[in-house]
Amino acid sequence: MSHSIFSNNEWFEKALGQGWISLHGGVSDVVEPASGETLTRVAKANAQDVREACRSARQAQKGWAAMPYQARAAVFRQAAALLEANRAECATWIVRETGGIMPKAMFEIDSVLHHLHEAAAMLTQPKGLVLPSMDGVTSLARRVPHGVVGVISPFNFPFLLTSRATLPALACGNAVVLKPDLRTPVSGGVLLALLLQAAGLPQGVFQMLPGEAEAGEALVTDPDVAMISFTGSTAVGRRVGELAGKHLKKVALELGGKNALIVRADADLDLAVCNAAWASYLHQGQICMSAGRHLVHKDLLESYSQRIAEKARALPVGNPHTEPVALGPLITGKQAERVQRLVDESVRMGAALLAGGKANGLFFPATVLANVTPDMPVFREEIFGPVISITGFSSDAEAIALANDTEYGLSAGILTTDVGQGMAMAAELNVGLVHINDQTVNDDGTMPMGGRGASGNGSRHGGPANWDEFTQWQWTTVRNVAPAYPL
């Protein structure tokens, strides 16, 4: 890791000089997508690096789990204090490395602060139950850590999504080996590693190794790793799940989405347009919870389409590090080409292009497609770009059928003034998250987060679900006197 990335911060510089070891998989440039500038260089891990990190994490885990809970909680609180004091520098890295706008970066920082405090709070929560038993016998069920948890995190919200799995796993007494996305290794790994190291996390408990597919596969299959937490694409998630299952490991998969925002005939049009733009254009639509399909009642269809197209044309696109923009770049040229292909193919099939629709390098303008039918690519495929596809419906039953017409099952939003009818519709949607009178992009850190089908394997992160994910039950009985069995 280049030491210049935190050249104005004494404690970051000091942390970088302590306990960091060389990796053997080569080096990779960290490139700012908006400008093409190389921000720094990081070493890459190979399979042997991962093997050594997992072995080291296993050795360190028992000592970490045995530390007094007050001391472990203090690490998370100190990390939160350090992050709060260094918001600006961390936010700048998120903006430049991910291409997100500054409010998005600040949201990530606020969310990680929340997760740090939640991790500290977990350590004062009960870790088990006293079960019914006969006289003279105490029957206990307690939560115990898995041991070593492997975390593989994505590029889009790297600081948040790395922390969302890593921090509760550590709070439960596990060691963690993290492989961040190689496109965003600083905000996806280095920031958290430096914060925790400076806050006093014992050496070896958290291992951070940027790497490619070789490193990821080595992490999933390593014999010292008991659980894998993966956030990313459905295609890669299937491979992770296959490998983890082969090795009989617990795996939490938080994958893609093709989420529906349902706008009923009684919805407030101004609020609907406001929610729609946020749901589809935040971070250029590169969010698993983005609204990929806008299902609009036919009574509102024309006015909604016109209003959202006007909104899209007014949203400035550019470099979020140097300009006051609403949308930054997509993460890579390959992703921009993919979004362009999905838009062009859908237009050829009859979709009406009302705004945007043409990439300028990595910059893709806010785009609106109307007259979208279920056979079009923008209806069926996860876009991961700033594209709104609009499909009309005539009844609640038709809206539910359209929303459920997908292999994904992550998030949905329903906009209506009839809350009761909204709740009735919500009960029929095959999703893990549903929001009545709100849009699809919601994540507050204290709720169970996850989807079904191609959106995940039903696993959850957040709030009480963290205990379910990052620990396992151990049943213990204690008798006053050993029984005399008849054999």
Side-chain angles (χ1 to χ4, degrees), residues 3-359:
H3 282 223
S4 64
I5 61 172
F6 296 110
S7 57
N8 297 320
N9 193 306
E10 182 178 352
W11 67 266
F12 266 139
E13 281 293 298
K14 183 178 179 181
L16 271 173
Q18 298 178 352
W20 291 66
I21 64 173
S22 298
L23 300 176
H24 303 92
V27 295
S28 179
D29 291 339
V30 180
V31 178
E32 181 179 30
S35 67
E37 177 185 345
T38 297
L39 301 174
T40 189
R41 306 181 81 197
V42 296
K44 296 189 294 184
N46 62 18
Q48 185 57 37
D49 292 321
V50 173
R51 175 80 278 268
E52 293 172 3
C54 294
R55 184 185 296 114
S56 175
R58 185 176 183 182
Q59 292 170 351
Q61 182 267 328
K62 288 187 177 181
W64 166 245
M67 280 177 60
Y69 72 89
Q70 302 98 323
R72 286 188 285 149
V75 171
F76 299 117
R77 295 193 182 101
Q78 178 63 15
L82 290 169
L83 177 56
E84 190 70 71
N86 292 274
R87 274 177 171 268
E89 192 162 17
C90 293
T92 298
W93 264 103
I94 296 170
V95 168
R96 299 198 69 183
E97 198 175 36
T98 72
I101 60 176
M102 183 58 74
K104 178 260 187 187
M106 287 300 183
F107 171 78
E108 284 203 62
I109 288 173
D110 286 338
S111 297
V112 173
L113 285 167
H114 180 67
H115 283 290
L116 283 164
H117 288 297
E118 283 292 304
M122 286 180 70
L123 288 158
T124 62
Q125 295 172 0
K127 294 197 299 182
L129 302 168
V130 178
L131 303 176
S133 61
M134 65 184 70
D135 289 344
V137 178
T138 301
S139 180
L140 306 172
R142 64 174 184 145
R143 290 288 193 177
V144 297
H146 296 300
V148 179
V149 173
V151 175
I152 302 175
S153 61
F155 74 86
N156 55 338
F157 275 68
F159 194 35
L160 168 56
L161 297 183
T162 288
S163 300
R164 184 185 66 181
T166 297
L167 295 175
L170 290 172
C172 290
N174 301 285
V176 171
V177 180
L178 165 70
K179 191 200 82 65
D181 192 295
L182 200 54
R183 291 167 291 188
T184 53
V186 177
S187 49
V190 174
L191 290 182
L192 187 62
L194 291 173
L195 285 165
L196 292 172
Q197 182 179 17
L201 186 72
Q203 184 73 25
V205 175
F206 180 45
Q207 309 270 344
M208 191 282 298
L209 301 92
E212 297 177 328
E214 176 193 359
E217 186 155 329
L219 180 59
V220 175
T221 59
D222 193 273
D224 284 326
V225 174
M227 176 193 171
I228 294 292
S229 174
F230 172 84
T231 303
S233 72
T234 297
V236 177
R238 293 184 195 278
R239 175 61 176 164
V240 171
E242 177 186 2
L243 286 173
K246 180 180 178 181
H247 291 268
L248 301 179
K249 298 186 181 187
K250 183 172 184 178
V251 60
L253 302 173
E254 205 271 280
L255 309 177
K258 191 62 184 175
N259 312 296
L261 180 66
I262 300 172
V263 183
R264 297 185 74 241
D266 61 353
D268 181 299
L269 189 58
D270 290 335
L271 290 176
V273 170
C274 174
N275 277 259
W278 184 264
S280 293
Y281 297 146
L282 178 63
H283 196 41
Q284 300 76 259
Q286 297 175 122
I287 306 174
C288 60
M289 294 179 288
S290 291
R293 298 170 298 157
H294 293 230
L295 309 178
V296 183
H297 193 277
K298 290 183 177 179
D299 290 351
L300 295 180
L301 190 58
E302 183 176 354
S303 55
Y304 180 90
S305 300
Q306 291 175 352
R307 292 277 297 278
I308 199 66
E310 292 170 3
K311 169 77 78 173
R313 288 190 288 266
L315 295 175
V317 183
N319 185 338
H321 182 55
T322 60
E323 305 172 70
V325 299
L327 284 80
L330 296 175
I331 191 65
T332 61
K334 182 179 180 181
Q335 180 59 18
E337 292 172 3
R338 182 178 184 277
V339 175
Q340 189 68 68
R341 174 183 61 80
L342 294 174
V343 169
D344 291 346
E345 288 180 3
S346 298
V347 169
R348 283 195 293 270
M349 294 175 69
L353 181 63
L354 303 185
K358 187 66 175 177

